[in-house]
Amino acid sequence: MQIILMHSRFTQAKSVTLSSRHVILATFAFLLVITCCAALMAALTLKLASADLPVLRDLVPVAATSDTGNKDKFMKENLAAMAAKLGEMQAQLIRLDALGERVQGLAGVKPEEFNFKELPGRGGPEVSTQPAQELNLAEFQAALAAMSVDIEHRSDYMNVVETKLMGFKVQSKLLPTIQPVNVAYNASGFGWRLDPFSGRSAFHEGIDFSGPTGTHIVAAAGGVVVAAEYHPQFGNMVEIDHGGEIMTRYAHSSKIHVKLGDIVKRGQHIADIGSTGRSTGAHLHFEVHVKGVPQNPHKFLSAGANQANLAAVNQK
């Protein structure tokens, strides 16, 4: 290739001859300059975009910011999931606290001895030989999930305990453990004795409480009246079925205040002391039968007295 140069200063025209080698070198140099300029502009744009300039940040290619955007989206999604899980755990803890208070009441534990609303004391020396380890996101999520499952299990266990305690409490209410009359003198105990009419040795199937005629007789436990009638031996007699094959009998009363089929509560007034039937004076003849076999009523009344004493101590 031949290039002719002409100018007013030149006395004559000049020519320059370019070979193919010159053309290739010139093209390469031009491309190199273009590449360097583009790299410089890209570096300058990225630096300015990092300065949080919205106009220049929009000029940055999407590929340069896609990784950061994906990480931010991932973090937001995980934080939302953990916040939801935390809310569920808080609701479970509130329910567990209420359940714990109910179980505490059924078990007779003093509130100040086991307060669910106060954090338990914890502590210990700091071990310098073992460096502290920070949890990463995956480990924290795993710990959160494990704690949620643990809370659910503890809630199930507490429900079982509450059911058992409630059953025991109901059963204790059906045991004849309160004294049927408010008198201190026992005229005759349970077991063998001399019969007051025949003078022969006979087995006494209950205990006798001597008291004035008209003294109130109350049910030793809740149950259903299965007999409220006059008996030739027991006089005016009341029998109460307490369930679990436990029955109590109240004999020789002057007056009966319940009828067959009545449901009576523990401590309810059911009759009055008298001297009807085979009796030598005003008293209550009280029997406890388990599966049809007479038992010593003192065993039940003593257990009731111990429970009352324990409850009084717990209330102090």
Side-chain angles (χ1 to χ4, degrees):
M1 179 185 294
Q2 188 175 17
I3 300 175
I4 299 174
L5 301 176
M6 299 182 65
H7 198 274
S8 59
R9 295 181 181 179
F10 297 157
T11 56
Q12 59 179 3
K14 295 182 179 181
S15 63
V16 178
T17 302
L18 299 176
S19 63
S20 58
R21 180 182 177 184
H22 294 141
V23 174
I24 292 174
L25 289 176
T27 303
F28 180 76
F30 177 75
L31 293 176
L32 182 61
V33 171
I34 293 296
T35 302
C36 291
C37 291
L40 181 61
M41 290 296 296
L44 181 61
T45 304
L46 288 174
K47 183 175 181 180
L48 293 175
S50 64
D52 201 18
L53 297 177
V55 177
L56 295 177
R57 189 174 61 246
D58 294 340
L59 299 177
V60 180
V62 177
T65 58
S66 59
D67 291 342
T68 303
N70 289 335
K71 290 181 179 178
D72 291 342
K73 183 180 179 181
F74 177 76
M75 288 295 295
K76 290 180 180 179
E77 290 177 352
N78 279 275
L79 286 174
M82 287 189 291
K85 178 63 70 175
L86 185 61
E88 294 176 2
M89 292 174 62
Q90 288 175 339
Q92 290 174 337
L93 286 174
I94 293 173
R95 184 179 63 181
L96 194 59
D97 285 345
L99 182 59
E101 290 180 356
R102 294 200 302 271
V103 172
Q104 171 187 297
L106 289 173
V109 180
K110 293 181 180 179
E112 59 271 17
E113 291 180 358
F114 203 77
N115 192 347
F116 284 88
K117 295 182 179 180
E118 291 184 0
L119 292 176
R122 297 184 298 173
E126 182 179 1
V127 181
S128 57
T129 57
Q130 298 292 336
Q133 296 180 355
E134 295 183 359
L135 293 177
N136 57 36
L137 183 60
E139 291 173 339
F140 180 72
Q141 287 178 325
L144 198 64
M147 185 176 294
S148 177
V149 173
D150 195 31
I151 290 176
E152 290 180 359
H153 289 170
R154 276 167 167 71
S155 180
D156 293 339
Y157 296 151
M158 290 288 282
N159 278 317
V160 172
V161 172
E162 182 190 26
T163 302
K164 290 291 184 181
L165 287 174
M166 183 65 72
F168 292 151
K169 190 165 186 178
V170 171
Q171 186 177 6
S172 68
K173 292 293 184 182
L174 298 177
L175 293 177
T177 54
I178 66 169
Q179 189 165 304
V181 287
N182 188 22
V183 295
Y185 176 62
N186 299 137
S188 183
F190 178 85
W192 291 96
R193 68 169 186 175
L194 292 177
D195 186 272
F197 289 93
S198 66
R200 296 192 298 266
S201 179
F203 192 83
H204 189 225
E205 296 184 345
I207 57 177
D208 293 338
F209 295 93
S210 180
T213 300
T215 302
H216 287 187
I217 302 171
V218 300
V224 179
V225 177
V226 294
E229 59 192 16
Y230 183 84
H231 188 278
Q233 301 290 326
F234 295 113
N236 291 327
M237 175 193 70
V238 175
E239 291 181 352
I240 300 176
D241 185 352
H242 305 286
E245 298 185 88
I246 299 176
M247 184 270 292
T248 53
R249 176 178 291 148
Y250 312 79
H252 307 305
S253 62
S254 60
K255 187 175 183 180
I256 296 175
H257 297 282
V258 293
K259 61 183 184 298
L260 181 66
D262 282 355
I263 298 175
V264 295
K265 297 180 181 179
R266 181 184 181 90
Q268 180 177 332
H269 181 200
I270 58 172
D272 297 328
I273 282 182
S275 183
T276 57
R278 193 169 182 268
S279 169
T280 61
H283 72 286
L284 166 67
H285 174 79
F286 176 61
E287 296 182 8
V288 177
H289 291 249
V290 178
K291 296 183 178 180
V293 179
Q295 305 290 325
N296 189 350
H298 275 301
K299 295 188 298 184
F300 295 90
L301 300 181
S302 298
N306 293 335
Q307 289 179 355
N309 293 334
L310 182 61
V313 170
N314 289 333
Q315 289 177 356
K316 292 182 180 179

